[in-house]
């Protein structure tokens, strides 16, 4: 969200699902006449192409006049794709084709797929700062000795925790609102980078979003299963200049938050005296009492930024990318595989969609769906529970559909 000089607000929204409810929520408060739709289609067969069709229909329904739909599409739609042969009604000036080296969706952050929408919303000056931040992290990764190389050290820490401590993942807990989306980004990045190939089981591990409210704190302190923690914080809250309360209150809240981060890390490492952790050797408790406590001896790492601006965001994104690549290489996994998680299920999705269309066609002819039907007419068998639920779905939705009789 960016407030413009004239009082307007420029916003950016993401739609990565074919869920119609999600699509309706994304466009519910938008004005079609001032909306630009940018479709990202690496191969052209992604499920998100369905979302593109939904948004295209929304634009045409609101803006098409006198059959001039092509003018509407040319003005309000762009596409970024890695498939040169993809069929599109857009003008060539509205289509950005990625080079072969950039067709890996996992590492598309610094391609037109991300930089184009960022530049439209925030302007090129801020976008350039984002790129510059990533460039500094690239230089650090390439030029710095591994003993002091941040991506290498963090990747080795992950390998140590997963291989020797059997943690199989980590929890990222942001202590700043500006970093709230970073855990989800890291989770997707590492799942796509380390989760493919014959050695994926050795390389893949879960990244769990600890959330701003730190809902997992109690489990992290004393649960039997130990998950390494990664705590993220910015030293400058960047709110004092526009806060309505007194500066002393804002600074006091930030001071408390900083202390909370380090208290969290120390509690994980040393535990509480009441729990018999390492702190009990330093502060023996004369009488046992029932209090919230932690066992200690739980690994954690702190990632701290001076402030969360465009430059720092670029650094954090590049840090996550280099870290994931190092982990994949150590585990002998190809980090640049072009097989995405959603593409693995494409064939099965298409088969089930054909089966469902056949069910609706039968219902439109007044035929009943047989419960003991084991195979589709083309001889392809399906899981019994899947067939049963699809049949129930078709019967429930038949009155809302108008499928042609075939």
């Amino acid at each position: 969200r960016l407030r413009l000089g004239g009082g307007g607000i420029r916003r950016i929204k993401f739609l990565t699902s074919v869920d119609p409810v999600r699509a309706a929520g994304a466009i519910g408060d938008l004005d079609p006449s001032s909306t630009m739709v940018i479709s990202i289609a690496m191969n052209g067969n992604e499920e998100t192409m369905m979302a593109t069709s939904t948004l295209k229909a929304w634009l045409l329904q609101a803006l098409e006049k006198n059959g001039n739909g092509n003018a509407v599409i040319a003005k309000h739609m762009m596409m970024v794709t890695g498939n040169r042969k993809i069929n599109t009604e857009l003008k060539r000036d509205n289509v950005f084709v990625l080079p072969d080296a950039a067709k890996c969706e996992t590492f598309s952050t610094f391609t037109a797929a991300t930089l184009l929408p960022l530049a439209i919303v925030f302007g090129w000056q801020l976008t350039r700062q984002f790129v510059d931040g990533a460039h500094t992290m690239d230089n650090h990764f390439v030029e710095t000795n591994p003993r002091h190389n941040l991506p290498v050290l963090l990747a080795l820490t992950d390998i140590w925790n997963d291989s020797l401590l059997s943690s199989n993942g980590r929890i990222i807990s942001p202590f700043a609102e500006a970093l709230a989306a970073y855990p989800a980004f890291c989770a997707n990045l590492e799942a796509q980078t380390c989760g493919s190939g014959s050695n994926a089981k050795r390389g893949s591990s879960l990244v769990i979003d600890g959330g701003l409210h730190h809902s997992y704190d109690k489990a992290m302190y004393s649960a039997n299963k130990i998950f390494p923690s990664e705590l993220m914080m910015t030293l400058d809250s960047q709110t004092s200049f526009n806060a309505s309360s007194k500066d002393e209150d804002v600074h006091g809240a930030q001071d408390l938050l900083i202390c909370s981060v380090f208290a969290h890390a120390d509690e994980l490492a040393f535990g509480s005296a009441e729990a018999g952790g390492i702190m009990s050797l330093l502060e023996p408790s004369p009488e046992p009492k029932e209090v919230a406590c932690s066992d200690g001896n739980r690994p954690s790492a702190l990632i701290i930024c001076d402030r969360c601006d465009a430059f720092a965001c670029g650094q954090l994104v590049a840090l996550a990318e280099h870290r994931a690549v190092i982990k994949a290489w150590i585990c002998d996994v190809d980090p640049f595989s072009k097989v995405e998680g959603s593409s693995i299920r494409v064939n099965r999705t298409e088969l089930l969609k054909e089966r469902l269309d056949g069910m609706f066609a039968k219902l439109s002819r007044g035929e009943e769906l047989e419960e003991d039907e084991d195979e589709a007419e083309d001889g392809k068998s399906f899981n019994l529970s899947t067939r049963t639920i699809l049949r129930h779905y078709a019967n429930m939705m038949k009155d809302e559909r108008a499928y042609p009789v075939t």
Side-chain angles (χ1 to χ4, degrees), residues 161-233:
N161 290 333
D162 291 345
S163 301
L164 300 181
L165 300 184
S166 302
S167 63
N168 197 32
R170 69 184 189 275
I171 297 178
I172 301 181
S173 299
F175 278 74
E177 180 73 32
L179 301 172
Y182 190 70
F185 169 77
C186 292
N188 177 71
L189 175 67
E190 296 198 15
Q192 298 289 358
T193 303
C194 304
S196 61
S198 57
N199 295 322
K201 291 183 179 180
R202 290 193 297 171
S204 60
S205 60
L206 291 175
V207 177
I208 301 175
D209 184 358
L212 290 169
H213 303 292
H214 313 121
S215 305
Y216 301 110
D217 280 6
K218 186 175 181 180
M220 291 164 64
Y221 289 145
S222 56
N224 292 330
K225 179 67 175 180
I226 296 178
F227 265 89
S229 301
E230 199 160 278
L231 315 179
M232 302 190 66
M233 185 59 195

Side-chain angles (χ1 to χ4, degrees), residues 16-325:
T16 59
S17 170
V18 295
D19 182 2
V21 176
R22 181 76 177 271
I27 63 178
D29 59 344
L30 298 181
D31 179 3
S33 64
S34 60
T35 298
M36 171 67 73
V37 175
I38 301 176
S39 176
I40 312 297
M42 289 294 174
N43 301 312
N45 59 353
E46 294 88 351
E47 292 182 356
T48 49
M49 290 299 292
M50 181 80 66
T52 300
S53 299
T54 300
L55 296 177
K56 176 182 175 182
W58 172 68
L59 288 172
L60 291 176
Q61 182 180 2
L63 302 177
E64 186 177 15
K65 297 179 181 179
N66 302 322
N68 195 12
N70 290 335
V72 173
I73 298 303
K75 183 178 180 180
H76 293 274
M77 291 196 73
M78 291 184 174
M79 174 173 284
V80 179
T81 180
N83 185 355
R84 296 178 182 275
K85 299 180 180 180
I86 190 171
N87 294 323
T88 174
E89 300 177 3
L90 302 179
K91 297 190 305 181
R92 293 182 59 183
D93 294 342
N94 290 33
V95 179
F96 296 80
V97 180
L98 298 177
D100 292 339
K103 288 183 181 179
C104 180
E105 183 177 344
T106 310
F107 297 97
S108 62
T109 303
F110 298 100
T111 67
T114 299
L115 299 183
L116 175 62
L118 286 182
I120 291 176
V121 174
F122 298 105
W124 180 245
Q125 183 177 359
L126 276 177
T127 305
R128 183 56 194 241
Q129 294 176 20
F130 176 69
V131 175
D132 289 343
H135 185 60
T136 61
M137 184 57 67
D138 293 342
N139 288 337
H140 167 79
F141 174 63
V142 172
E143 299 173 359
T144 305
N145 186 293
R147 295 184 62 181
H148 307 286
N149 194 304
L150 191 55
V152 173
L153 292 175
L154 289 174
L156 292 176
T157 300
D158 293 338
I159 296 295
W160 174 278
N161 290 333
D162 291 345
S163 301
L164 300 181
L165 300 184
S166 302
S167 63
N168 197 32
R170 69 184 189 275
I171 297 178
I172 301 181
S173 299
F175 278 74
E177 180 73 32
L179 301 172
Y182 190 70
F185 169 77
C186 292
N188 177 71
L189 175 67
E190 296 198 15
Q192 298 289 358
T193 303
C194 304
S196 61
S198 57
N199 295 322
K201 291 183 179 180
R202 290 193 297 171
S204 60
S205 60
L206 291 175
V207 177
I208 301 175
D209 184 358
L212 290 169
H213 303 292
H214 313 121
S215 305
Y216 301 110
D217 280 6
K218 186 175 181 180
M220 291 164 64
Y221 289 145
S222 56
N224 292 330
K225 179 67 175 180
I226 296 178
F227 265 89
S229 301
E230 199 160 278
L231 315 179
M232 302 190 66
M233 185 59 195
T234 58
L235 298 180
D236 185 355
S237 65
Q238 300 169 262
T239 57
S240 58
F241 59 86
N242 60 8
S244 58
S245 58
K246 296 180 180 179
D247 287 344
E248 293 80 1
D249 296 335
V250 175
H251 296 322
Q254 181 69 7
D255 294 345
L256 184 61
L257 189 59
I258 291 292
C259 293
S260 176
V261 175
F262 287 100
H264 189 25
D266 287 348
E267 197 71 29
L268 290 169
F270 303 112
S272 304
E274 293 82 359
I278 297 175
M279 285 298 293
S280 63
L281 302 177
L282 306 177
E283 300 177 5
S285 177
E287 297 181 4
K289 52 185 177 180
E290 186 176 354
V291 295
C293 56
S294 60
D295 300 328
N297 199 27
R298 295 168 186 267
S300 64
L302 276 72
I303 298 180
I304 301 176
C305 307
D306 285 344
R307 51 176 25 215
C308 188
D309 53 14
F311 188 86
C313 287
Q315 289 181 313
L316 289 172
V317 170
L319 170 64
E321 291 183 346
H322 293 309
R323 177 183 190 172
V325 168

Side-chain angles (χ1 to χ4, degrees), residues 373-394:
E373 183 180 348
D374 291 329
E375 292 187 347
E377 294 179 356
D378 57 5
K380 297 175 181 176
S381 60
F382 295 90
N383 180 282
L384 174 61
S385 59
T386 301
R387 296 200 311 269
T388 302
I389 297 174
L390 280 181
R391 185 169 56 248
H392 174 73
Y393 172 76

